[in-house]
Amino acid sequence: MELRHLKYFVTVAEELSFSRAAVRLDISQPTLSRQIKNLEDELNVVLFLRQSDGLILTEGGKFFLEQSKRYFTSQSCRRANPQGSLH
């Protein structure tokens, strides 16, 4: 799994739409759709229920979203404070 896959997943989860997420990410919708499907295959988890009126996060998707956001938050903290100092 690559960092970009997490970014793609979080964006799709926030938008609950491949087309809106693709616009935000400046990539094509088919490419984004394929990347999310590859991620689901790699994790062996269905992250989204695909319906005619949009996407719904599965329970696995909700958990993965929470973990992905924690990862990005921890990375932001590390960049803001590279020495690990709280001051």
Side-chain angles (χ1 to χ4, degrees), residues 15-16 19 21 26 31-32 37 40-41 51 59 83 86:
E15 295 291 339
L16 291 177
S19 47
D26 196 30
T31 297
L32 179 58
K37 178 65 177 133
E40 289 177 319
D41 290 346
Q51 301 182 327
E59 288 303 313
Q83 272 65 38
L86 297 176

Side-chain angles (χ1 to χ4, degrees), residues 1-2 13 17-18 26 28 33-35 37 41-45 48 51-52 54 56 61 65 67 70 78 80:
M1 177 183 329
E2 296 178 26
S17 163
F18 283 111
D26 196 30
S28 74
S33 227
R34 189 170 40 256
Q35 292 295 320
K37 178 65 177 133
D41 290 346
E42 183 177 340
L43 296 172
N44 199 28
V45 171
F48 298 98
Q51 301 182 327
S52 60
I56 298 174
L65 178 60
Q67 298 304 308
R70 282 186 186 171
R78 286 190 182 126

